[in-house]
Amino acid sequence: MATTAGTPQGGIISPILANMTLDGMDLVIASKYHVGKTGKIDKTRYNPHKVNFVRYADDFIATADSEETAKEIAELIKEFLKECGLELSEEKIHITHIDDGFDFLGGNFRKYRGKLLIKPSKNSIGNIIRKIGDVIKRAKAWRQEDLINVLNPIITGWSNYHRSVVAK
């Protein structure tokens, strides 16, 4: 039976449903790009197209050695999602070279002169600045101690999330 409403974005059940629905997507990709001479999937030894797939709930990236391979992977993902009754938004597909970089989970991944650097994305920086600014605007009549107590977990959380990347 078709439903008229889904789960709210950011709801507690949303990542669980995304993981259940998208489970197996990596197997579809591996069955095409990681099959060795024996006919079995072997991700550790057989990867001639340098295909890798990373998924976190409903966010995912796929890497490959060429634009053609990346487009083939995008088609595989579209077919997989179609079987699940979903579709991949064309505006969310972004095929780029690592030297140009891409954003994923709040970080910007990019190679600079052959060295991979991960930095907080401009969008992530903008969001935290906006959040801090909103708190400060709301807190004009607060005591300094109360403002600090509200800002500390926000700043600490964002800093801890990005502490393993290149961030000042």
Side-chain angles (χ1 to χ4, degrees), residues 79-111:
E79 289 173 25
F80 176 85
L81 291 174
K82 191 173 186 179
E83 289 176 18
C84 297
L86 301 169
E87 61 183 56
L88 188 61
S89 170
E90 287 296 325
E91 59 204 30
K92 292 209 173 188
I93 297 174
H94 186 67
I95 296 175
T96 184
H97 194 276
I98 190 68
D99 290 342
D100 298 328
F102 62 91
D103 291 348
F104 182 61
L105 299 177
N108 178 267
F109 295 71
R110 183 175 170 194
K111 271 193 172 180

PDB file of all heavy atoms in Angstrom, residues 79-111:
ATOM      1  N   GLU A  79      20.362   2.161 -11.004  1.00  0.00           N
ATOM      2  CA  GLU A  79      19.614   0.904 -11.185  1.00  0.00           C
ATOM      3  C   GLU A  79      19.269   0.276  -9.842  1.00  0.00           C
ATOM      4  O   GLU A  79      18.147  -0.201  -9.640  1.00  0.00           O
ATOM      5  CB  GLU A  79      20.423  -0.075 -12.034  1.00  0.00           C
ATOM      6  CG  GLU A  79      20.533   0.321 -13.486  1.00  0.00           C
ATOM      7  CD  GLU A  79      21.477  -0.582 -14.273  1.00  0.00           C
ATOM      8  OE1 GLU A  79      21.672  -1.752 -13.863  1.00  0.00           O
ATOM      9  OE2 GLU A  79      22.024  -0.107 -15.292  1.00  0.00           O
ATOM     10  N   PHE A  80      20.231   0.263  -8.927  1.00  0.00           N
ATOM     11  CA  PHE A  80      19.994  -0.293  -7.593  1.00  0.00           C
ATOM     12  C   PHE A  80      18.865   0.465  -6.899  1.00  0.00           C
ATOM     13  O   PHE A  80      17.952  -0.136  -6.319  1.00  0.00           O
ATOM     14  CB  PHE A  80      21.276  -0.230  -6.749  1.00  0.00           C
ATOM     15  CG  PHE A  80      21.090  -0.706  -5.338  1.00  0.00           C
ATOM     16  CD1 PHE A  80      21.171  -2.046  -5.031  1.00  0.00           C
ATOM     17  CD2 PHE A  80      20.826   0.198  -4.315  1.00  0.00           C
ATOM     18  CE1 PHE A  80      20.982  -2.489  -3.722  1.00  0.00           C
ATOM     19  CE2 PHE A  80      20.644  -0.233  -3.012  1.00  0.00           C
ATOM     20  CZ  PHE A  80      20.730  -1.576  -2.717  1.00  0.00           C
ATOM     21  N   LEU A  81      18.910   1.795  -6.933  1.00  0.00           N
ATOM     22  CA  LEU A  81      17.900   2.611  -6.272  1.00  0.00           C
ATOM     23  C   LEU A  81      16.527   2.441  -6.925  1.00  0.00           C
ATOM     24  O   LEU A  81      15.506   2.442  -6.237  1.00  0.00           O
ATOM     25  CB  LEU A  81      18.308   4.082  -6.276  1.00  0.00           C
ATOM     26  CG  LEU A  81      19.513   4.433  -5.397  1.00  0.00           C
ATOM     27  CD1 LEU A  81      19.906   5.887  -5.587  1.00  0.00           C
ATOM     28  CD2 LEU A  81      19.230   4.131  -3.939  1.00  0.00           C
ATOM     29  N   LYS A  82      16.516   2.271  -8.239  1.00  0.00           N
ATOM     30  CA  LYS A  82      15.250   2.079  -8.956  1.00  0.00           C
ATOM     31  C   LYS A  82      14.555   0.805  -8.477  1.00  0.00           C
ATOM     32  O   LYS A  82      13.344   0.778  -8.293  1.00  0.00           O
ATOM     33  CB  LYS A  82      15.511   2.019 -10.462  1.00  0.00           C
ATOM     34  CG  LYS A  82      14.270   2.086 -11.299  1.00  0.00           C
ATOM     35  CD  LYS A  82      14.620   2.186 -12.772  1.00  0.00           C
ATOM     36  CE  LYS A  82      13.364   2.411 -13.572  1.00  0.00           C
ATOM     37  NZ  LYS A  82      13.658   2.547 -15.005  1.00  0.00           N
ATOM     38  N   GLU A  83      15.353  -0.243  -8.233  1.00  0.00           N
ATOM     39  CA  GLU A  83      14.789  -1.497  -7.711  1.00  0.00           C
ATOM     40  C   GLU A  83      14.211  -1.313  -6.311  1.00  0.00           C
ATOM     41  O   GLU A  83      13.312  -2.039  -5.903  1.00  0.00           O
ATOM     42  CB  GLU A  83      15.860  -2.590  -7.693  1.00  0.00           C
ATOM     43  CG  GLU A  83      16.254  -3.076  -9.063  1.00  0.00           C
ATOM     44  CD  GLU A  83      17.390  -4.088  -9.018  1.00  0.00           C
ATOM     45  OE1 GLU A  83      17.651  -4.664  -7.938  1.00  0.00           O
ATOM     46  OE2 GLU A  83      18.019  -4.289 -10.069  1.00  0.00           O
ATOM     47  N   CYS A  84      14.735  -0.341  -5.568  1.00  0.00           N
ATOM     48  CA  CYS A  84      14.239  -0.046  -4.215  1.00  0.00           C
ATOM     49  C   CYS A  84      13.073   0.944  -4.245  1.00  0.00           C
ATOM     50  O   CYS A  84      12.554   1.320  -3.195  1.00  0.00           O
ATOM     51  CB  CYS A  84      15.353   0.542  -3.356  1.00  0.00           C
ATOM     52  SG  CYS A  84      16.726  -0.568  -3.080  1.00  0.00           S
ATOM     53  N   GLY A  85      12.701   1.418  -5.441  1.00  0.00           N
ATOM     54  CA  GLY A  85      11.633   2.401  -5.550  1.00  0.00           C
ATOM     55  C   GLY A  85      12.104   3.821  -5.299  1.00  0.00           C
ATOM     56  O   GLY A  85      11.309   4.701  -4.997  1.00  0.00           O
ATOM     57  N   LEU A  86      13.418   4.036  -5.425  1.00  0.00           N
ATOM     58  CA  LEU A  86      13.998   5.356  -5.196  1.00  0.00           C
ATOM     59  C   LEU A  86      14.669   5.846  -6.476  1.00  0.00           C
ATOM     60  O   LEU A  86      14.885   5.079  -7.401  1.00  0.00           O
ATOM     61  CB  LEU A  86      15.035   5.292  -4.072  1.00  0.00           C
ATOM     62  CG  LEU A  86      14.546   4.805  -2.719  1.00  0.00           C
ATOM     63  CD1 LEU A  86      15.722   4.543  -1.800  1.00  0.00           C
ATOM     64  CD2 LEU A  86      13.605   5.813  -2.101  1.00  0.00           C
ATOM     65  N   GLU A  87      15.013   7.118  -6.483  1.00  0.00           N
ATOM     66  CA  GLU A  87      15.784   7.626  -7.605  1.00  0.00           C
ATOM     67  C   GLU A  87      16.859   8.577  -7.104  1.00  0.00           C
ATOM     68  O   GLU A  87      16.686   9.243  -6.091  1.00  0.00           O
ATOM     69  CB  GLU A  87      14.904   8.298  -8.651  1.00  0.00           C
ATOM     70  CG  GLU A  87      14.128   9.497  -8.174  1.00  0.00           C
ATOM     71  CD  GLU A  87      13.226  10.059  -9.260  1.00  0.00           C
ATOM     72  OE1 GLU A  87      12.409   9.300  -9.793  1.00  0.00           O
ATOM     73  OE2 GLU A  87      13.365  11.268  -9.536  1.00  0.00           O
ATOM     74  N   LEU A  88      17.966   8.602  -7.840  1.00  0.00           N
ATOM     75  CA  LEU A  88      19.082   9.465  -7.502  1.00  0.00           C
ATOM     76  C   LEU A  88      18.891  10.787  -8.215  1.00  0.00           C
ATOM     77  O   LEU A  88      18.729  10.839  -9.422  1.00  0.00           O
ATOM     78  CB  LEU A  88      20.394   8.804  -7.942  1.00  0.00           C
ATOM     79  CG  LEU A  88      21.693   9.444  -7.513  1.00  0.00           C
ATOM     80  CD1 LEU A  88      21.796   9.469  -5.997  1.00  0.00           C
ATOM     81  CD2 LEU A  88      22.864   8.669  -8.085  1.00  0.00           C
ATOM     82  N   SER A  89      18.895  11.855  -7.452  1.00  0.00           N
ATOM     83  CA  SER A  89      18.704  13.187  -8.014  1.00  0.00           C
ATOM     84  C   SER A  89      19.892  13.551  -8.894  1.00  0.00           C
ATOM     85  O   SER A  89      21.043  13.434  -8.482  1.00  0.00           O
ATOM     86  CB  SER A  89      18.564  14.199  -6.877  1.00  0.00           C
ATOM     87  OG  SER A  89      18.611  15.500  -7.370  1.00  0.00           O
ATOM     88  N   GLU A  90      19.606  13.996 -10.116  1.00  0.00           N
ATOM     89  CA  GLU A  90      20.666  14.387 -11.052  1.00  0.00           C
ATOM     90  C   GLU A  90      21.504  15.539 -10.498  1.00  0.00           C
ATOM     91  O   GLU A  90      22.697  15.605 -10.758  1.00  0.00           O
ATOM     92  CB  GLU A  90      20.071  14.781 -12.406  1.00  0.00           C
ATOM     93  CG  GLU A  90      19.558  13.619 -13.215  1.00  0.00           C
ATOM     94  CD  GLU A  90      20.640  12.629 -13.629  1.00  0.00           C
ATOM     95  OE1 GLU A  90      21.787  13.050 -13.901  1.00  0.00           O
ATOM     96  OE2 GLU A  90      20.348  11.430 -13.659  1.00  0.00           O
ATOM     97  N   GLU A  91      20.873  16.430  -9.739  1.00  0.00           N
ATOM     98  CA  GLU A  91      21.627  17.564  -9.197  1.00  0.00           C
ATOM     99  C   GLU A  91      22.555  17.158  -8.061  1.00  0.00           C
ATOM    100  O   GLU A  91      23.464  17.895  -7.703  1.00  0.00           O
ATOM    101  CB  GLU A  91      20.687  18.676  -8.758  1.00  0.00           C
ATOM    102  CG  GLU A  91      19.697  18.250  -7.701  1.00  0.00           C
ATOM    103  CD  GLU A  91      18.445  19.107  -7.680  1.00  0.00           C
ATOM    104  OE1 GLU A  91      18.046  19.633  -8.721  1.00  0.00           O
ATOM    105  OE2 GLU A  91      17.878  19.234  -6.584  1.00  0.00           O
ATOM    106  N   LYS A  92      22.348  15.971  -7.484  1.00  0.00           N
ATOM    107  CA  LYS A  92      23.224  15.514  -6.406  1.00  0.00           C
ATOM    108  C   LYS A  92      24.400  14.687  -6.928  1.00  0.00           C
ATOM    109  O   LYS A  92      25.341  14.441  -6.188  1.00  0.00           O
ATOM    110  CB  LYS A  92      22.428  14.698  -5.392  1.00  0.00           C
ATOM    111  CG  LYS A  92      21.444  15.556  -4.623  1.00  0.00           C
ATOM    112  CD  LYS A  92      21.204  15.001  -3.271  1.00  0.00           C
ATOM    113  CE  LYS A  92      20.363  15.988  -2.485  1.00  0.00           C
ATOM    114  NZ  LYS A  92      20.232  15.607  -1.120  1.00  0.00           N
ATOM    115  N   ILE A  93      24.339  14.262  -8.189  1.00  0.00           N
ATOM    116  CA  ILE A  93      25.456  13.524  -8.772  1.00  0.00           C
ATOM    117  C   ILE A  93      26.530  14.539  -9.135  1.00  0.00           C
ATOM    118  O   ILE A  93      26.279  15.496  -9.859  1.00  0.00           O
ATOM    119  CB  ILE A  93      25.025  12.744 -10.034  1.00  0.00           C
ATOM    120  CG1 ILE A  93      23.984  11.695  -9.684  1.00  0.00           C
ATOM    121  CG2 ILE A  93      26.241  12.094 -10.691  1.00  0.00           C
ATOM    122  CD1 ILE A  93      23.424  10.997 -10.898  1.00  0.00           C
ATOM    123  N   HIS A  94      27.709  14.315  -8.614  1.00  0.00           N
ATOM    124  CA  HIS A  94      28.807  15.248  -8.874  1.00  0.00           C
ATOM    125  C   HIS A  94      30.045  14.430  -9.202  1.00  0.00           C
ATOM    126  O   HIS A  94      30.640  13.818  -8.321  1.00  0.00           O
ATOM    127  CB  HIS A  94      29.029  16.124  -7.641  1.00  0.00           C
ATOM    128  CG  HIS A  94      30.036  17.199  -7.834  1.00  0.00           C
ATOM    129  ND1 HIS A  94      29.848  18.260  -8.683  1.00  0.00           N
ATOM    130  CD2 HIS A  94      31.264  17.371  -7.295  1.00  0.00           C
ATOM    131  CE1 HIS A  94      30.899  19.045  -8.651  1.00  0.00           C
ATOM    132  NE2 HIS A  94      31.778  18.520  -7.810  1.00  0.00           N
ATOM    133  N   ILE A  95      30.399  14.392 -10.463  1.00  0.00           N
ATOM    134  CA  ILE A  95      31.598  13.683 -10.883  1.00  0.00           C
ATOM    135  C   ILE A  95      32.681  14.726 -11.082  1.00  0.00           C
ATOM    136  O   ILE A  95      32.533  15.656 -11.870  1.00  0.00           O
ATOM    137  CB  ILE A  95      31.348  12.874 -12.173  1.00  0.00           C
ATOM    138  CG1 ILE A  95      30.304  11.785 -11.895  1.00  0.00           C
ATOM    139  CG2 ILE A  95      32.651  12.259 -12.674  1.00  0.00           C
ATOM    140  CD1 ILE A  95      29.886  10.988 -13.105  1.00  0.00           C
ATOM    141  N   THR A  96      33.766  14.568 -10.323  1.00  0.00           N
ATOM    142  CA  THR A  96      34.835  15.560 -10.348  1.00  0.00           C
ATOM    143  C   THR A  96      36.186  14.877 -10.180  1.00  0.00           C
ATOM    144  O   THR A  96      36.263  13.741  -9.719  1.00  0.00           O
ATOM    145  CB  THR A  96      34.630  16.602  -9.226  1.00  0.00           C
ATOM    146  OG1 THR A  96      35.623  17.601  -9.330  1.00  0.00           O
ATOM    147  CG2 THR A  96      34.701  15.975  -7.854  1.00  0.00           C
ATOM    148  N   HIS A  97      37.212  15.577 -10.530  1.00  0.00           N
ATOM    149  CA  HIS A  97      38.572  15.089 -10.319  1.00  0.00           C
ATOM    150  C   HIS A  97      38.984  15.459  -8.896  1.00  0.00           C
ATOM    151  O   HIS A  97      38.588  16.500  -8.379  1.00  0.00           O
ATOM    152  CB  HIS A  97      39.523  15.731 -11.345  1.00  0.00           C
ATOM    153  CG  HIS A  97      40.845  15.046 -11.414  1.00  0.00           C
ATOM    154  ND1 HIS A  97      41.870  15.332 -10.547  1.00  0.00           N
ATOM    155  CD2 HIS A  97      41.292  14.073 -12.232  1.00  0.00           C
ATOM    156  CE1 HIS A  97      42.905  14.567 -10.829  1.00  0.00           C
ATOM    157  NE2 HIS A  97      42.586  13.785 -11.856  1.00  0.00           N
ATOM    158  N   ILE A  98      39.797  14.616  -8.281  1.00  0.00           N
ATOM    159  CA  ILE A  98      40.214  14.850  -6.895  1.00  0.00           C
ATOM    160  C   ILE A  98      40.995  16.159  -6.757  1.00  0.00           C
ATOM    161  O   ILE A  98      40.995  16.783  -5.705  1.00  0.00           O
ATOM    162  CB  ILE A  98      41.024  13.650  -6.338  1.00  0.00           C
ATOM    163  CG1 ILE A  98      41.248  13.777  -4.825  1.00  0.00           C
ATOM    164  CG2 ILE A  98      42.351  13.509  -7.065  1.00  0.00           C
ATOM    165  CD1 ILE A  98      40.020  13.647  -3.993  1.00  0.00           C
ATOM    166  N   ASP A  99      41.646  16.606  -7.828  1.00  0.00           N
ATOM    167  CA  ASP A  99      42.361  17.887  -7.776  1.00  0.00           C
ATOM    168  C   ASP A  99      41.398  19.065  -7.658  1.00  0.00           C
ATOM    169  O   ASP A  99      41.784  20.136  -7.198  1.00  0.00           O
ATOM    170  CB  ASP A  99      43.248  18.066  -9.007  1.00  0.00           C
ATOM    171  CG  ASP A  99      44.443  17.117  -8.999  1.00  0.00           C
ATOM    172  OD1 ASP A  99      44.776  16.585  -7.922  1.00  0.00           O
ATOM    173  OD2 ASP A  99      45.036  16.902 -10.083  1.00  0.00           O
ATOM    174  N   ASP A 100      40.140  18.878  -8.094  1.00  0.00           N
ATOM    175  CA  ASP A 100      39.118  19.918  -7.955  1.00  0.00           C
ATOM    176  C   ASP A 100      38.393  19.805  -6.622  1.00  0.00           C
ATOM    177  O   ASP A 100      37.791  20.756  -6.152  1.00  0.00           O
ATOM    178  CB  ASP A 100      38.108  19.841  -9.104  1.00  0.00           C
ATOM    179  CG  ASP A 100      38.767  20.070 -10.451  1.00  0.00           C
ATOM    180  OD1 ASP A 100      39.753  20.832 -10.496  1.00  0.00           O
ATOM    181  OD2 ASP A 100      38.302  19.482 -11.441  1.00  0.00           O
ATOM    182  N   GLY A 101      38.402  18.612  -6.037  1.00  0.00           N
ATOM    183  CA  GLY A 101      37.836  18.386  -4.716  1.00  0.00           C
ATOM    184  C   GLY A 101      36.338  18.173  -4.700  1.00  0.00           C
ATOM    185  O   GLY A 101      35.654  18.401  -5.690  1.00  0.00           O
ATOM    186  N   PHE A 102      35.852  17.715  -3.541  1.00  0.00           N
ATOM    187  CA  PHE A 102      34.425  17.498  -3.320  1.00  0.00           C
ATOM    188  C   PHE A 102      34.134  17.594  -1.833  1.00  0.00           C
ATOM    189  O   PHE A 102      35.033  17.428  -1.004  1.00  0.00           O
ATOM    190  CB  PHE A 102      33.972  16.140  -3.878  1.00  0.00           C
ATOM    191  CG  PHE A 102      34.648  14.966  -3.231  1.00  0.00           C
ATOM    192  CD1 PHE A 102      34.093  14.352  -2.113  1.00  0.00           C
ATOM    193  CD2 PHE A 102      35.853  14.480  -3.721  1.00  0.00           C
ATOM    194  CE1 PHE A 102      34.724  13.276  -1.509  1.00  0.00           C
ATOM    195  CE2 PHE A 102      36.487  13.401  -3.117  1.00  0.00           C
ATOM    196  CZ  PHE A 102      35.923  12.801  -2.014  1.00  0.00           C
ATOM    197  N   ASP A 103      32.872  17.881  -1.506  1.00  0.00           N
ATOM    198  CA  ASP A 103      32.430  17.950  -0.112  1.00  0.00           C
ATOM    199  C   ASP A 103      31.731  16.653   0.268  1.00  0.00           C
ATOM    200  O   ASP A 103      30.943  16.115  -0.510  1.00  0.00           O
ATOM    201  CB  ASP A 103      31.476  19.127   0.099  1.00  0.00           C
ATOM    202  CG  ASP A 103      32.171  20.464  -0.016  1.00  0.00           C
ATOM    203  OD1 ASP A 103      33.414  20.495  -0.040  1.00  0.00           O
ATOM    204  OD2 ASP A 103      31.471  21.494  -0.085  1.00  0.00           O
ATOM    205  N   PHE A 104      32.015  16.165   1.474  1.00  0.00           N
ATOM    206  CA  PHE A 104      31.378  14.952   1.977  1.00  0.00           C
ATOM    207  C   PHE A 104      31.381  15.007   3.499  1.00  0.00           C
ATOM    208  O   PHE A 104      32.436  15.180   4.118  1.00  0.00           O
ATOM    209  CB  PHE A 104      32.138  13.716   1.475  1.00  0.00           C
ATOM    210  CG  PHE A 104      31.534  12.399   1.888  1.00  0.00           C
ATOM    211  CD1 PHE A 104      30.248  12.054   1.510  1.00  0.00           C
ATOM    212  CD2 PHE A 104      32.250  11.504   2.648  1.00  0.00           C
ATOM    213  CE1 PHE A 104      29.694  10.841   1.881  1.00  0.00           C
ATOM    214  CE2 PHE A 104      31.719  10.289   3.027  1.00  0.00           C
ATOM    215  CZ  PHE A 104      30.427   9.956   2.642  1.00  0.00           C
ATOM    216  N   LEU A 105      30.206  14.884   4.102  1.00  0.00           N
ATOM    217  CA  LEU A 105      30.035  14.856   5.553  1.00  0.00           C
ATOM    218  C   LEU A 105      30.709  16.040   6.258  1.00  0.00           C
ATOM    219  O   LEU A 105      31.374  15.881   7.270  1.00  0.00           O
ATOM    220  CB  LEU A 105      30.541  13.539   6.140  1.00  0.00           C
ATOM    221  CG  LEU A 105      29.844  12.272   5.661  1.00  0.00           C
ATOM    222  CD1 LEU A 105      30.490  11.047   6.275  1.00  0.00           C
ATOM    223  CD2 LEU A 105      28.355  12.312   5.989  1.00  0.00           C
ATOM    224  N   GLY A 106      30.554  17.217   5.694  1.00  0.00           N
ATOM    225  CA  GLY A 106      31.063  18.422   6.328  1.00  0.00           C
ATOM    226  C   GLY A 106      32.522  18.712   6.049  1.00  0.00           C
ATOM    227  O   GLY A 106      33.077  19.687   6.562  1.00  0.00           O
ATOM    228  N   GLY A 107      33.166  17.877   5.245  1.00  0.00           N
ATOM    229  CA  GLY A 107      34.570  18.091   4.920  1.00  0.00           C
ATOM    230  C   GLY A 107      34.761  18.304   3.431  1.00  0.00           C
ATOM    231  O   GLY A 107      33.963  17.839   2.625  1.00  0.00           O
ATOM    232  N   ASN A 108      35.817  19.001   3.079  1.00  0.00           N
ATOM    233  CA  ASN A 108      36.181  19.185   1.677  1.00  0.00           C
ATOM    234  C   ASN A 108      37.433  18.356   1.429  1.00  0.00           C
ATOM    235  O   ASN A 108      38.460  18.553   2.087  1.00  0.00           O
ATOM    236  CB  ASN A 108      36.445  20.663   1.364  1.00  0.00           C
ATOM    237  CG  ASN A 108      36.877  20.855  -0.065  1.00  0.00           C
ATOM    238  OD1 ASN A 108      38.071  20.862  -0.367  1.00  0.00           O
ATOM    239  ND2 ASN A 108      35.919  21.002  -0.940  1.00  0.00           N
ATOM    240  N   PHE A 109      37.333  17.403   0.500  1.00  0.00           N
ATOM    241  CA  PHE A 109      38.429  16.502   0.170  1.00  0.00           C
ATOM    242  C   PHE A 109      39.024  16.979  -1.153  1.00  0.00           C
ATOM    243  O   PHE A 109      38.309  17.091  -2.149  1.00  0.00           O
ATOM    244  CB  PHE A 109      37.909  15.069  -0.001  1.00  0.00           C
ATOM    245  CG  PHE A 109      37.359  14.472   1.259  1.00  0.00           C
ATOM    246  CD1 PHE A 109      36.163  14.907   1.812  1.00  0.00           C
ATOM    247  CD2 PHE A 109      38.044  13.453   1.891  1.00  0.00           C
ATOM    248  CE1 PHE A 109      35.653  14.353   2.971  1.00  0.00           C
ATOM    249  CE2 PHE A 109      37.542  12.884   3.055  1.00  0.00           C
ATOM    250  CZ  PHE A 109      36.354  13.335   3.594  1.00  0.00           C
ATOM    251  N   ARG A 110      40.336  17.231  -1.153  1.00  0.00           N
ATOM    252  CA  ARG A 110      40.965  17.754  -2.362  1.00  0.00           C
ATOM    253  C   ARG A 110      42.461  17.483  -2.315  1.00  0.00           C
ATOM    254  O   ARG A 110      43.073  17.519  -1.243  1.00  0.00           O
ATOM    255  CB  ARG A 110      40.714  19.250  -2.472  1.00  0.00           C
ATOM    256  CG  ARG A 110      41.260  19.871  -3.719  1.00  0.00           C
ATOM    257  CD  ARG A 110      40.855  21.317  -3.804  1.00  0.00           C
ATOM    258  NE  ARG A 110      41.587  21.948  -4.893  1.00  0.00           N
ATOM    259  CZ  ARG A 110      41.670  23.243  -5.075  1.00  0.00           C
ATOM    260  NH1 ARG A 110      41.060  24.065  -4.251  1.00  0.00           N
ATOM    261  NH2 ARG A 110      42.342  23.739  -6.071  1.00  0.00           N
ATOM    262  N   LYS A 111      43.031  17.205  -3.483  1.00  0.00           N
ATOM    263  CA  LYS A 111      44.478  17.046  -3.575  1.00  0.00           C
ATOM    264  C   LYS A 111      45.092  18.371  -3.983  1.00  0.00           C
ATOM    265  O   LYS A 111      44.662  18.996  -4.939  1.00  0.00           O
ATOM    266  CB  LYS A 111      44.849  15.971  -4.599  1.00  0.00           C
ATOM    267  CG  LYS A 111      44.935  14.593  -4.016  1.00  0.00           C
ATOM    268  CD  LYS A 111      45.608  13.652  -4.976  1.00  0.00           C
ATOM    269  CE  LYS A 111      45.862  12.326  -4.300  1.00  0.00           C
ATOM    270  NZ  LYS A 111      46.511  11.392  -5.203  1.00  0.00           N
TER     271      LYS A 111
END
